[in-house]
């Protein structure tokens, strides 16, 4: 725990133990409790803790300016999409996420030291509590001042951190005698350390963390060389405590809430809202799935019924949820999150669809896009990048709104089928697992599912924390455990960077591992970054050994050869051999790799800067790149992307490669560097195409874009929700792809005996004629079926109370099915129809009355078809079968009739 009392003692604080929770805390004067709820009630609602009332952006400005004056460099917020620079979490949950893992591990210098930041952060682990408790939010602003201390340079540590915090709180007008510092412990993102939780009037305002450890499996810790001051000030709570409003929502985005109240025509009972927040503050809501307990306590204190309470609070809770969620969505979508059914897109869609539901519950006529405009106008004053992305945000919102309506419409039948299946299993209640599957696999909101289920007189219980449970399963990237291969060899010198045009090289044989040769240097490019490896030969005393593959393991390149060849290498350990790569393959891969960079740059230009690379694979003949995009790429957009990429080629721009320190590269270019994925190491290789694109990339590249020759996009497809795949070819392969298209055009033109220019009109004319003939054929078939029906109508017999028709006719399977169904439908004359033809096809249908009397036509036809040497089956009202013994059709039909008589 913390042992650092000098600064607090100098400020007049003394250490005490809370008589309620037992935690150690520091305060001025005589005090029995720690100052945090539930040990202390909120005493600031209606009684602000400061004379000046700060709105959120005023307190944000005051915070940043205060620490700037204290020698901290203000830095801009990071995107809320954390996967831009790390691969373990999707969204930024605190300011320290901005600096993990590279800065916190000591691999990279911080952007400034010390620094101050106001970082929008997103946490969905309390999403169901938003609007209900007065304080929980999906998106909040974490004010933070950070210092990164090394053995060589100590910036500041415990004492200075406490003094800065104390001085800031005092600076905004809070009485120091109301501040308590609770001793605690913090862990997150792989780090840990002691901390102080700072409380005023029952609410926690800030946390001061002193990161000293790396967390290890089994609850163990390891000291780290870099010690970090990691502070987090909840700026929304500072605004709340300064205004004394009933909820933190009113203090943080009051203008948005006022407009929503006006649209919904909601009358607010401030007393009830204030009491609700008071009671919620006294409860550990995170541990209470069922919020009825909160409701009961509030109703009891106000001496009203639960119904009266819900009637008074639900409309405002919906308004608070909508205001909070639209803010969260604004940051998500502006920073590049694309709603989908996977990863961070799944979380965005969860928030988005909850917002739509609350808009519906509130009875608002406005669409989500209409409401979103209110939030965007409010946020744009502080965050110009939100305004810059407004069109994109609204496009995504409108599209998702339509998708939601389709999902709900389709999902209704799924819910009904689920209930029928549960009833067959003698269940009387829909379990949570079914609700979860309906939501996760089919997008069906549990509230809508509940409405449908209850109309079917079936039970269902939707947990109050349903969305929290779902969100918790999707907040982090699943990490694959990789077995580290340990090789006792020095790092391989990579010659292909220094000598990109060399095709042959000399190297010492250092040794072998399984069927892999290890050299001291190589020009073989090892597979990586979506670029396949080079192939070629190793020349050993005149004998060529084929290199099938090359890969890099911990900076050592393994040259894979056939198992039968590895023995030939063993005698030459320590000796010099030569190697040679397949240069035509290397050149093709190089062109395709540089072309990939041009296509991603062109896509961002045409589709918008939300586009981000989601995967890539380069090839010799064709390559592909996967990009994040919220809808299908239109043919016109695809042509524009192709045209722009080729324009970059024709402009013959320089492709510059450079090794840079990671911090320097990030500072110069930003996170656009990591389009191709997170690159490890303190030093990264940047590939910059003049005024077009820059990425961290270890692949081989052309020196000038003109070296590519030609780029031809051949195909696009949606490979998953929110991800579009573009397939293309470059160089000679692009010419071959163009020629292949030309050949298809020529062959198609030859079929119709027209010129290529006339092909579209000719195809259109033939299609219209074909469709017309198809309709005419159907009409004639229907007429023939009607005539055939008339010829067999008199061949009926009564079997019991059922009118049965059986006959062999000259008709195909489709005609027989139509006739049989028409004759046994609700307006038909027969209860059972059995028809067969001379091709060995048999059909049977049953009327509703026949089915109710116990006739199972599908089983009868199945047995009859076995006589034909085949099989059959179907539904209770229609079945069909077939077999090769067509001469036995009469026997099969007679058998079917006999089954009816039995």
């Amino acid at each position: 725990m913390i042992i650092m009392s000098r600064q607090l003692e100098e400020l007049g604080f003394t250490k005490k133990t809370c008589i309620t929770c037992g935690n150690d805390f520091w305060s001025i004067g005589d005090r029995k409790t720690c100052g945090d709820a539930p040990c202390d009630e909120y005493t600031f609602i209606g009684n602000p803790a400061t004379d000046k009332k700060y709105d959120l952006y005023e307190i944000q400005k005051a915070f940043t300016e205060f620490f700037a004056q204290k020698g901290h460099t203000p830095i801009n917020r990071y995107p809320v999409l954390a996967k831009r620079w790390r691969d373990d979490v999707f969204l930024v949950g605190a300011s320290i996420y901005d600096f993990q893992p590279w800065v916190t591990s000591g691999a990279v210098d911080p952007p400034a030291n010390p620094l101050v930041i106001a970082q929008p952060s997103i946490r969905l682990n309390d999403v169901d509590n938003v609007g209900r408790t007065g304080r929980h939010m999906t998106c909040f602003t974490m004010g933070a001042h950070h210092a990164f201390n090394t053995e060589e340079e100590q910036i500041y540590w415990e004492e200075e951190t406490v003094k800065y915090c104390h001085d800031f709180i005092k600076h905004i007008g809070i009485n120091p005698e109301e501040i308590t510092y609770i001793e605690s412990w913090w862990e997150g993102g792989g780090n840990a350390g002691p901390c102080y939780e700072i409380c005023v009037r029952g609410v926690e305002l800030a946390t001061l963390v002193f990161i000293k450890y790396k967390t290890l499996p089994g609850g163990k810790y390891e000291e780290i060389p870099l010690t970090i001051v990691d502070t987090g000030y909840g700026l929304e709570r500072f605004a709340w405590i300064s205004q004394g409003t009933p909820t933190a929502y009113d203090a943080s985005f009051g203008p948005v809430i006022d407009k929503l109240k006006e649209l919904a025509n909601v009358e607010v009972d401030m007393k009830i809202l204030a009491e609700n927040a008071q009671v919620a503050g006294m409860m550990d809501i995170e541990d209470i799935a069922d919020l009825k307990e909160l409701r009961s306590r509030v109703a009891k204190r106000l001496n009203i019924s639960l119904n009266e309470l819900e009637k008074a609070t639900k409309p405002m809770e919906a308004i608070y949820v909508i205001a909070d969620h639209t803010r969260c969505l604004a940051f998500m979508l502006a920073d590049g999150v694309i709603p989908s059914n996977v990863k961070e897109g799944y979380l965005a869609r969860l928030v988005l669809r909850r917002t739509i539901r609350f808009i519906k519950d509130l009875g608002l006529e406005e669409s989500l896009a209409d409401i979103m405009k209110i939030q965007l106008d409010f946020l744009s004053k502080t965050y110009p990048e939100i305004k810059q992305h407004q069109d994109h945000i609204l496009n995504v919102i409108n599209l998702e709104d339509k998708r939601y309506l389709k999902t709900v419409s389709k999902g209704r039948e799924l819910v009904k089928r689920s209930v029928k299946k549960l009833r067959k299993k003698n269940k009387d209640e829909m379990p949570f697992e079914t609700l979860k599957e309906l939501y996760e696999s089919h997008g069906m909101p549990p509230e809508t599912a509940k409405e449908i289920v209850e109309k079917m007189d079936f039970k269902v219980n939707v947990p109050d924390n349903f969305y929290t449970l779902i969100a918790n399963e999707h907040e982090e990237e699943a990490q694959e455990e990789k077995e580290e291969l340990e090789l006792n060899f020095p790092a391989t010198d990579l010659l292909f960077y220094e000598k990109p045009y060399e095709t042959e090289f000399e190297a010492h044989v250092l040794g072998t591992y399984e069927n892999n040769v290890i050299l001291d240097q190589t020009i073989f490019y090892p597979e990586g970054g979506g670029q396949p490896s080079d192939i070629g030969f190793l020349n050993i005393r005149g004998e060529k050994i084929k290199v099938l593959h090359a890969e890099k393991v911990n900076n050592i390149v393994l040259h894979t050869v056939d198992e039968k060849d590895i023995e030939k290498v063993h005698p030459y350990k320590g000796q010099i051999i030569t190697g040679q790569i397949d240069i035509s393959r290397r050149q093709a891969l190089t062109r395709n790799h540089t072309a990939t960079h041009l296509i991603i740059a062109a896509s961002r230009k045409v589709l918008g800067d939300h586009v981000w690379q989601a995967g890539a694979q380069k090839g010799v003949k064709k390559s592909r790149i996967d990009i994040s995009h919220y809808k299908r790429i239109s043919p016109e957009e695809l042509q524009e992307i192709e045209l722009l990429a080729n324009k970059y080629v024709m402009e013959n721009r320089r492709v510059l490669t450079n090794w840079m320190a990671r911090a320097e590269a990030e500072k110069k270019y930003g996170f656009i560097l990591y389009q191709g994925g997170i690159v490890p190491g303190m030093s990264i290789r940047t590939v910059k195409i003049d005024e077009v694109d820059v990425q961290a990339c270890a692949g081989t590249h052309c020196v000038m874009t003109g070296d590519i020759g030609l780029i031809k996009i051949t195909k696009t497809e949606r490979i998953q929700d929110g991800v579009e795949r573009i397939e293309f070819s470059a160089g000679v392969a692009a010419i071959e792809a163009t020629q292949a298209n030309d050949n298809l055009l020529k062959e198609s033109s030859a079929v119709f005996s027209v010129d290529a220019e006339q092909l579209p009109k000719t195809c259109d004319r033939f299609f219209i004629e074909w469709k017309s003939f198809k309709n005419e054929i159907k009409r004639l078939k229907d007429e023939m079926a009607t005539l055939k029906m008339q010829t067999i109508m008199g061949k009926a017999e009564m079997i019991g109370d059922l009118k049965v028709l059986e006959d062999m006719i000259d008709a195909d399977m489709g005609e027989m099915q139509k006739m049989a169904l028409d004759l046994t439908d609700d307006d038909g004359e027969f209860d059972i129809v059995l028809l067969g033809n001379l091709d060995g096809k048999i059909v049977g249908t049953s009327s509703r009355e026949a089915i109710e009397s116990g006739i199972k036509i599908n089983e009868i036809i199945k047995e009859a078809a076995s006589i034909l040497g085949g099989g059959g089956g179907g539904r209770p009202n229609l079945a069909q079968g077939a077999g090769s013994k067509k001469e036995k059709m009469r026997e099969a039909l007679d058998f079917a009739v006999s089954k009816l008589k039995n």
Side-chain angles (χ1 to χ4, degrees):
M1 205 53 79
I2 308 173
I3 305 171
M4 45 180 178
S5 60
R6 184 182 63 79
Q7 182 64 71
L8 286 169
E9 286 174 348
E10 285 183 9
L11 293 168
F13 287 76
T14 55
K15 188 172 180 178
K16 306 168 183 71
T17 301
C18 179
I19 61 170
T20 304
C21 67
N23 287 332
D24 290 335
F25 71 96
W26 294 76
S27 70
I28 294 172
D30 187 24
R31 188 184 181 99
K32 306 280 186 195
T33 51
C34 63
D36 194 11
C39 305
D40 286 78
E41 287 195 13
Y42 292 170
T43 57
F44 60 88
I45 295 177
N47 181 29
T50 62
D51 292 332
K52 179 179 176 179
K53 293 184 178 183
Y54 293 90
D55 67 26
L56 176 58
Y57 302 117
E58 286 171 340
I59 199 71
Q60 186 170 314
K61 185 170 182 283
F63 178 82
T64 304
E65 287 178 351
F66 175 86
F67 283 97
Q69 288 167 5
K70 301 293 181 182
H72 294 69
T73 302
I75 65 168
N76 293 331
R77 75 172 184 93
Y78 279 46
V80 297
L81 185 53
K83 66 179 276 187
R84 289 290 188 254
W85 64 92
R86 56 190 298 182
D87 55 12
D88 54 339
V89 295
F90 299 130
L91 302 170
V92 169
S95 61
I96 195 64
Y97 281 41
D98 299 347
F99 312 111
Q100 292 170 324
W102 307 108
V103 175
T104 55
S105 66
V108 173
D109 291 333
N113 198 11
L115 61 83
V116 60
I117 187 172
Q119 176 62 46
S121 305
I122 295 174
R123 295 180 191 172
L124 302 183
N125 56 334
D126 293 312
V127 66
D128 291 289
N129 294 331
V130 173
R132 292 163 159 172
T133 63
R135 71 181 188 272
H136 284 102
M137 297 180 178
T138 57
C139 180
F140 62 97
T141 314
M142 181 175 282
H145 53 101
H146 292 280
F148 304 88
N149 301 290
T150 63
E151 290 179 4
E152 296 77 27
E153 185 180 18
Q154 281 286 316
I155 306 301
Y156 63 81
W157 194 231
E158 305 106 323
E159 309 293 359
E160 297 90 338
T161 304
V162 169
K163 183 71 165 63
Y164 283 138
C165 177
H166 179 84
D167 289 350
F168 172 69
I169 294 175
K170 186 178 174 183
H171 168 73
I172 62 169
I174 294 175
N175 184 349
E177 293 182 9
E178 298 194 82
I179 308 170
T180 59
Y181 291 78
I182 304 169
E183 295 183 358
S184 190
W185 182 263
W186 175 90
E187 291 187 19
N191 297 119
C195 72
Y196 278 127
E197 294 167 357
I198 290 81
C199 298
V200 174
R201 296 196 186 183
V203 69
E204 183 183 336
L205 294 177
T207 306
L208 312 178
V209 182
F210 304 96
I211 296 177
K212 301 168 69 174
Y213 305 100
K214 176 183 177 182
T215 54
L216 301 173
K220 295 180 180 178
Y221 303 100
E222 176 182 282
E223 284 200 14
I224 53 177
L226 192 73
T227 55
I228 302 162
V229 173
D230 171 27
T231 67
Y233 294 67
L235 297 185
E236 283 82 2
R237 293 190 178 187
F238 275 94
W240 186 19
I241 203 171
S242 79
Q243 294 182 43
T245 51
T247 72
Y249 317 120
D250 297 291
S252 301
F253 24 85
V256 175
I257 288 167
D258 289 341
K259 286 189 180 179
L260 289 173
K261 283 194 292 190
E262 186 183 326
L263 290 173
N265 197 23
V266 169
E267 291 184 14
V268 182
D269 189 325
M270 302 304 283
K271 183 183 175 186
I272 290 179
L273 292 176
E275 194 64 39
N276 189 74
Q278 284 275 17
V279 175
M282 298 294 289
M283 296 171 65
D284 188 7
I285 299 294
E286 288 86 349
D287 295 336
I288 299 177
D290 191 345
L291 285 162
K292 287 176 185 173
E293 175 67 19
L294 170 60
R295 301 269 191 247
S296 297
R297 292 193 195 183
V298 175
K300 190 174 180 182
R301 281 177 59 148
L302 291 168
N303 197 26
I304 59 175
S305 70
L306 273 172
N307 283 341
E308 288 175 299
L309 177 66
E310 287 200 0
K311 190 177 178 183
T313 57
K314 275 201 166 182
M316 274 312 295
E317 286 177 359
I319 283 173
Y320 290 149
V321 169
I322 294 165
D324 167 87
H325 283 19
T326 50
R327 179 168 75 145
C328 183
L329 286 169
F331 283 112
M332 279 181 159
L333 301 180
D335 289 354
V337 178
I338 302 296
S340 70
N341 52 17
V342 293
K343 302 185 178 182
E344 70 279 353
Y346 182 94
L347 299 174
R349 185 167 281 169
L350 182 151
V351 174
L352 192 148
R353 291 187 171 179
R354 280 193 95 237
T355 314
I356 295 172
R357 180 175 69 80
F358 278 99
I359 289 172
K360 179 188 166 193
D361 289 352
L362 199 56
L364 289 172
E365 293 180 3
E366 286 75 12
S367 68
L368 176 55
D370 294 330
I371 303 299
M372 199 73 195
K373 285 174 191 171
I374 298 170
Q375 182 66 260
L376 296 177
D377 287 344
F378 175 67
L379 288 172
S380 295
K381 294 167 188 149
T382 306
Y383 300 99
E385 65 271 25
I386 299 281
K387 185 73 176 173
Q388 181 188 337
H389 291 93
Q390 179 161 327
D391 289 345
H392 162 68
I393 292 169
L394 294 176
N395 285 339
V396 173
I397 292 291
N398 281 319
L399 190 63
E400 284 294 311
D401 209 343
K402 290 174 187 172
R403 284 175 177 163
Y404 174 77
L405 291 173
K406 276 187 185 176
T407 296
V408 171
S409 178
K410 286 181 182 176
R412 291 182 184 278
E413 284 306 313
L414 284 169
V415 175
K416 289 175 184 176
R417 285 206 292 270
S418 297
V419 171
K420 287 175 185 174
K421 285 180 185 175
L422 290 167
R423 277 192 168 132
K424 282 182 181 176
K425 295 177 182 177
N426 296 318
K427 305 283 185 185
D428 62 355
E429 183 174 353
M430 181 174 280
F432 171 75
E433 288 72 24
T434 305
L435 274 175
K436 182 183 172 188
E437 185 187 348
L438 284 167
Y439 179 78
E440 292 202 316
S441 301
H442 307 288
M444 192 65 178
E447 301 82 8
T448 309
K450 185 173 187 273
E451 290 170 10
I452 298 165
V453 170
E454 288 178 343
K455 280 180 185 174
M456 297 176 74
D457 294 323
F458 203 70
K459 286 190 279 186
V460 63
N461 178 37
V462 180
D464 281 326
N465 63 342
F466 177 87
Y467 290 99
T468 300
L469 294 170
I470 297 296
N472 284 343
E473 292 183 14
H474 293 266
E475 280 203 310
E476 293 186 357
E477 180 79 271
Q479 297 295 307
E480 290 182 20
E481 295 232 356
K482 294 180 184 176
E483 275 190 41
E484 287 290 325
L485 178 63
E486 291 192 15
L487 297 170
N488 190 23
F489 293 98
T492 310
D493 189 10
L494 306 177
L495 302 177
F496 49 80
Y497 287 139
E498 303 162 26
K499 303 172 181 178
Y501 298 109
E502 293 289 327
T503 60
E504 297 185 20
F505 69 105
E506 288 187 345
H508 283 90
V509 178
L510 298 182
T512 60
Y513 171 75
E514 294 181 346
N515 61 319
N516 298 284
V517 181
I518 298 163
L519 309 172
D520 66 334
Q521 60 183 16
T522 188
I523 60 168
F524 279 87
Y525 178 81
E527 183 171 359
Q531 179 173 332
S533 76
D534 287 329
I535 59 173
F537 297 93
L538 297 178
N539 299 301
I540 301 178
R541 300 295 184 269
E543 183 170 4
K544 282 187 172 183
I545 295 175
K546 193 170 185 179
V547 175
L548 307 170
H549 181 70
E551 67 173 308
K552 190 165 71 167
V553 177
N554 296 332
N555 295 320
I556 299 164
V557 176
L558 305 180
H559 302 77
T560 306
V561 301
D562 196 287
E563 288 182 7
K564 70 178 186 300
D565 289 330
I566 195 68
E567 295 296 327
K568 299 173 184 175
V569 181
H570 290 158
Y572 297 99
K573 182 179 177 181
Q575 295 187 34
I576 293 176
I577 64 169
T578 62
Q580 181 180 359
I581 62 166
D582 180 340
I583 190 59
S584 62
R585 173 186 167 90
R586 160 75 75 79
Q587 288 172 342
L589 290 169
T590 296
R591 291 188 188 103
N592 274 272
H593 204 145
T594 306
T596 302
H597 286 221
L598 294 183
I599 288 176
I600 190 73
S603 298
R604 285 173 63 82
K605 200 86 171 172
V606 172
L607 304 175
D609 62 9
H610 63 277
V611 166
W612 203 263
Q613 185 174 316
Q617 183 62 48
K618 292 81 181 176
V620 175
K621 292 294 184 184
K622 64 179 181 179
S623 298
R624 67 172 188 261
I625 183 165
D626 302 334
I627 62 171
S628 57
H629 189 47
Y630 56 92
K631 63 179 181 178
R632 293 305 317 271
I633 302 173
S634 71
E636 295 76 20
E637 287 169 333
L638 204 62
Q639 286 182 345
E640 199 177 341
I641 291 167
E642 182 181 70
L643 188 63
L644 184 55
N646 279 291
K647 184 183 172 191
Y648 293 147
V649 170
M650 290 183 290
E651 288 169 349
N652 203 23
R653 294 171 182 260
R654 288 184 305 165
V655 182
L656 303 170
T657 59
N658 189 22
W659 287 94
M660 298 177 72
R662 177 183 290 274
E664 181 193 350
E666 285 183 4
K667 196 169 184 179
K668 186 171 183 179
Y669 300 119
F671 297 125
I672 193 71
L673 279 169
Y674 306 129
Q675 276 278 348
I678 310 303
V679 180
M682 294 179 68
S683 182
I684 59 178
R685 181 173 177 259
T686 61
V687 176
K688 183 185 177 188
I689 301 171
D690 271 349
E691 298 177 12
V692 171
D693 181 72
V694 62
Q695 291 187 42
C697 180
T700 62
H701 283 277
C702 302
V703 175
M704 306 292 288
T705 58
D707 297 340
I708 296 170
L710 176 70
I711 297 171
K712 178 63 186 171
I713 294 177
T714 54
K715 182 182 175 186
T716 178
E717 62 179 323
R718 171 142 289 200
I719 59 164
Q720 70 177 51
D721 209 9
V723 178
E724 291 282 298
R725 172 167 290 171
I726 298 173
E727 288 190 5
F728 66 94
S729 297
V732 174
I735 296 170
E736 291 171 351
T738 303
Q739 289 173 341
N741 284 344
D742 287 346
N743 290 337
L744 281 173
L745 200 59
K746 288 172 186 174
E747 288 170 18
S748 301
S749 300
V751 169
F752 293 105
S753 300
V754 296
D755 293 333
E757 292 79 9
Q758 296 173 295
L759 190 58
K761 284 183 180 179
T762 305
C763 287
D764 191 45
R765 178 168 58 82
F766 268 82
F767 178 75
I768 291 168
E769 289 174 0
W770 169 81
K771 199 171 180 181
S772 174
F773 291 145
K774 185 183 176 186
N775 291 336
E776 181 64 14
I777 291 166
K778 183 179 182 302
R779 185 185 66 77
L780 292 170
K781 276 190 170 184
D782 289 345
E783 283 184 11
M784 287 172 64
T786 302
L787 290 170
K788 288 172 184 175
M789 280 168 59
Q790 290 170 358
T791 63
I792 64 173
M793 291 281 280
K795 299 181 181 180
E797 67 174 301
M798 294 299 296
I799 300 177
D801 294 330
L802 300 174
K803 191 175 182 181
V804 178
L805 173 66
E806 170 266 309
D807 198 10
M808 280 181 64
I809 64 171
D810 180 17
D812 61 26
M813 178 69 86
E815 288 175 313
M816 289 196 297
Q817 286 176 333
K818 184 181 185 308
M819 283 191 283
L821 282 169
D822 286 347
L823 291 168
T824 54
D825 68 13
D826 290 341
D827 298 322
E829 294 186 25
F830 299 90
D831 294 303
I832 305 285
V833 172
L834 299 165
L835 299 175
N837 67 16
L838 295 175
D839 293 327
K841 308 282 195 314
I842 187 169
V843 169
T845 57
S846 295
S847 68
R848 192 188 306 273
E849 290 77 10
I851 294 169
E852 288 172 356
S853 70
I855 298 296
K856 295 181 178 176
I857 199 69
N858 50 340
E859 292 183 6
I860 292 172
I861 293 297
K862 184 178 180 182
E863 289 185 62
S866 68
I867 293 171
L868 299 168
R875 304 190 301 274
N877 70 317
L878 170 66
Q880 57 276 320
S884 58
K885 299 176 182 178
K886 50 191 178 185
E887 70 278 3
K888 292 195 173 186
M889 180 56 71
R890 173 45 54 197
E891 184 184 339
L893 287 169
D894 290 343
F895 168 81
V897 172
S898 70
K899 291 291 287 185
L900 293 172
K901 291 177 178 178
N902 295 333

